Amino acid sequence: MASIYNSFKDVFQDLKKENSENKSFISVVVLLLSIPLGYAVNSIALGIFVGVSLITFQKENFKIKKNLVWPILLYLLMVLSLIWTLSVSRTLSSLSKELPLLLIPLCFFIIKIFTKDQLFKIFKYYSYGMLIYSVFYFIKATIRYLITKDISVFFYHELVTKDLNAIHVSIYMSLACFYFMSKKNKQLVDKMAIAVLTVTILFLSSKNVVIVFLALTVLYYFFHSEISKKAKYASGIGILLVLISLTFVKQVRDRFLVEVKTNVTENTLAEGDGMKNVYNVSIMQAWNNEKFQPNDYFPGTAFRVYQMRIFFEMMKEEPVFFTGYGLNASNIKVEEKAKEYNVHEGYAKYNFHNQYIQNFAELGFFGFAILLVMLFINVKNAINDKYFLHIVFAILMITLFLTESFLWRQRGIMYFTMMYCLFNSERLVMAQKK
């Protein structure tokens, strides 16, 4: 008990010390740790960060950082889309959700710079916070399992709730896991954290994130870490064992197999949840079918191919290449396409599940171009700084944007904008190089 008390005391003293050197330190940590919580908590945390930035503003700290201008330009383009949007009410309602794109970079213009050591500590507290969330999710799932005897409570959205979104939580956990993985002198608690976070990522069963996570793990241990060859081979065997073990976990295995099965054999019967006469749609069918049936089920990849198809059709049919349909207004056209192709009405409610297409469809070519510029800056700085955690963030965002409209969700926009600003603040990059 005394050791726990001393640990909390040390954390409190360290936070107090860092905050005395940079008044925004605690508010940044609080904002990052609030992301998996409710929307109201996110908004309050953002308000605290903005408030602290304004209250502690000093003229000598002000500087416009060119890397951080791009999120602001993206938000201004969203505002400008009010002129041509298909739905003013939808665009207006989304502008408040997208405010972090404007507010967070503006705060980084006026706050005191974070040193390299402070940046590391921010990620340290963020990573321990994600570890605590992970343990909490498993405790909650264990209690639910004891009540329901349903093993599915440990997997995918069931582990974290559909609103929180398993794919998004996988991203939060991945960055935290690589923080512990990249520590040079690992203690027992670091190794335990890696194990817990890895299991969490695997159980969340996001196909895209699991594949990228394992690829980044191989990249780290074989090309970036300073461990011996013997340790590298041991790490390779460990990763192989993880891959083999996935085949024994039905809930994880089935999410991968359904993608393979539906594209090897067309019109396969969907399984699970007592569904009868519900047929899987293959990638080829999603791209080529002139009509679908209400009982057709789109697996993840096939659904995204269908969405890509209707996006290209929409761009051909209407002169919106440079403007798009307006922020949060493309769903009007998506619903029309769903009726045209006789797709089940549930699919008509989804966005494009692709950030590149989402930007193009709603903000036109310039919205798409701004997104690419931000990702290019992110990758360039990650490579120049040779900071592996930044490389992880850059690759995760590029790949995630292929399957998710991450920036059209409140938690997603908060996470991306804060991490982007932390990693790409001009003076921070200079401080790291120095």
Side-chain angles (χ1 to χ4, degrees):
M1 194 71 181
S3 61
I4 295 174
Y5 170 77
N6 289 332
S7 296
F8 278 111
K9 184 178 178 182
D10 290 342
V11 168
F12 176 77
Q13 292 297 334
D14 186 52
L15 287 170
K16 185 178 178 181
K17 172 181 171 294
E18 295 300 337
N19 208 64
S20 66
E21 295 177 7
N22 190 321
K23 301 299 182 183
S24 301
F25 185 87
I26 289 179
S27 62
V28 168
V29 173
V30 168
L31 179 55
L32 287 173
L33 294 181
S34 75
I35 290 172
L37 300 176
Y39 299 119
V41 179
N42 295 166
S43 300
I44 292 170
L46 177 62
I48 291 171
F49 174 58
V50 173
V52 169
S53 302
L54 292 172
I55 293 170
T56 60
F57 169 69
Q58 293 180 352
K59 188 176 180 181
E60 60 267 23
N61 292 331
F62 177 78
K63 184 182 179 182
I64 295 176
K65 306 172 180 69
K66 62 180 181 181
N67 290 338
L68 308 191
V69 168
W70 297 100
I72 297 173
L73 290 177
L74 183 60
Y75 185 79
L76 294 178
L77 183 59
M78 292 174 175
V79 175
L80 193 62
S81 73
L82 280 167
I83 297 172
W84 60 78
T85 181
L86 296 180
S87 173
V88 173
S89 59
R90 289 191 183 197
T91 300
L92 278 174
S93 66
S94 290
L95 283 174
S96 59
K97 181 175 63 179
E98 300 292 337
L99 261 177
L101 277 172
L102 174 69
L103 296 179
I104 293 176
L106 287 177
C107 288
F108 271 81
F109 287 175
I110 63 176
I111 63 175
K112 186 179 178 181
I113 64 169
F114 290 110
T115 65
K116 185 177 180 180
D117 288 338
Q118 286 173 333
L119 177 68
F120 291 163
K121 285 192 175 183
I122 287 172
F123 291 126
K124 169 188 170 182
Y125 288 117
Y126 164 80
S127 300
Y128 275 104
M130 293 304 114
L131 176 63
I132 292 170
Y133 280 123
S134 185
V135 172
F136 168 74
Y137 296 145
F138 277 114
I139 291 173
K140 186 178 69 170
T142 301
I143 294 171
R144 291 177 62 201
Y145 173 73
L146 293 174
I147 296 171
T148 64
K149 305 301 180 184
D150 182 4
I151 196 69
S152 67
V153 298
F154 288 99
F155 299 94
Y156 203 41
H157 293 316
E158 289 293 320
L159 181 60
V160 296
T161 75
K162 194 168 184 178
D163 176 66
L164 190 50
N165 195 299
I167 300 169
H168 295 190
V169 176
S170 297
I171 294 294
Y172 311 152
M173 299 298 173
S174 294
L175 197 68
C177 190
F178 278 106
Y179 165 80
F180 290 108
M181 206 179 290
S182 59
K183 288 183 70 175
K184 289 188 177 180
N185 300 312
K186 296 182 182 66
Q187 305 297 320
L188 178 60
V189 65
D190 300 317
K191 295 175 182 178
M192 291 176 64
I194 293 170
V196 171
L197 290 167
T198 299
V199 170
T200 305
I201 293 162
L202 297 178
F203 278 26
L204 287 170
S205 311
S206 166
K207 299 180 288 292
N208 180 14
V209 178
V210 168
I211 291 169
V212 174
F213 174 78
L214 292 174
L216 284 169
T217 302
V218 171
L219 176 67
Y220 174 73
Y221 279 111
F222 282 89
F223 301 103
H224 199 271
S225 67
E226 298 175 356
I227 58 177
S228 64
K229 280 189 176 181
K230 186 177 180 180
K232 288 182 180 181
Y233 290 135
S235 301
I237 293 171
I239 294 166
L240 183 62
L241 290 174
V242 169
L243 290 172
I244 294 171
S245 68
L246 289 179
T247 63
F248 295 98
V249 183
K250 183 180 184 300
Q251 286 75 11
V252 178
R253 181 185 68 228
D254 287 355
R255 282 189 49 76
F256 285 84
L257 286 180
V258 69
E259 300 292 344
V260 177
K261 184 176 69 173
T262 56
N263 292 296
V264 172
T265 307
E266 293 188 351
N267 295 321
T268 55
L269 194 66
E271 298 174 356
D273 300 326
M275 294 185 293
K276 295 181 180 179
N277 299 323
V278 176
Y279 295 94
N280 292 311
V281 176
S282 70
I283 290 175
M284 290 296 292
Q285 289 172 321
W287 186 259
N288 294 313
N289 278 16
E290 294 184 6
K291 289 284 183 181
F292 297 94
Q293 299 301 319
N295 62 335
D296 282 340
Y297 170 73
F298 288 82
T301 305
F303 182 56
R304 285 162 175 82
V305 169
Y306 161 76
Q307 290 175 308
M308 189 181 299
R309 171 189 178 179
I310 63 172
F311 164 72
F312 286 127
E313 290 178 0
M314 289 156 60
M315 290 296 104
K316 286 181 181 179
E317 293 167 359
E318 299 189 54
V320 292
F321 182 86
F322 289 106
T323 62
Y325 294 106
L327 178 65
N328 197 33
S330 64
N331 260 53
I332 295 172
K333 293 297 179 179
V334 171
E335 290 171 10
E336 290 177 5
K337 283 291 180 182
K339 291 178 181 178
E340 178 184 334
Y341 283 109
N342 197 35
V343 172
H344 187 276
E345 60 181 9
Y347 292 116
K349 305 298 180 184
Y350 290 116
N351 59 32
F352 280 105
H353 280 69
N354 182 308
Q355 193 62 60
Y356 305 103
I357 290 177
Q358 197 79 46
N359 271 50
F360 213 129
E362 299 192 349
L363 302 172
F365 171 77
F366 296 108
F368 173 69
I370 291 173
L371 179 64
L372 291 185
V373 169
M374 286 195 291
L375 293 177
F376 173 77
I377 290 170
N378 202 29
V379 171
K380 178 176 70 72
N381 288 339
I383 294 172
N384 288 343
D385 295 342
K386 298 178 181 177
Y387 182 26
F388 194 74
L389 208 60
H390 191 177
I391 294 171
V392 168
F393 173 69
I395 294 175
L396 284 173
M397 290 300 100
I398 290 170
T399 54
L400 177 69
F401 287 177
L402 290 169
T403 60
E404 294 293 313
S405 297
F406 192 61
L407 303 185
W408 263 234
R409 295 283 298 270
Q410 180 173 318
R411 293 187 183 94
I413 195 65
M414 202 86 75
Y415 178 84
F416 174 82
T417 310
M418 178 55 79
M419 288 297 184
Y420 177 86
C421 290
L422 285 170
F423 281 123
N424 297 291
S425 176
E426 257 187 292
R427 288 182 289 177
L428 181 57
V429 172
M430 290 168 62
Q432 288 180 5
K433 289 180 179 179
K434 185 176 179 181

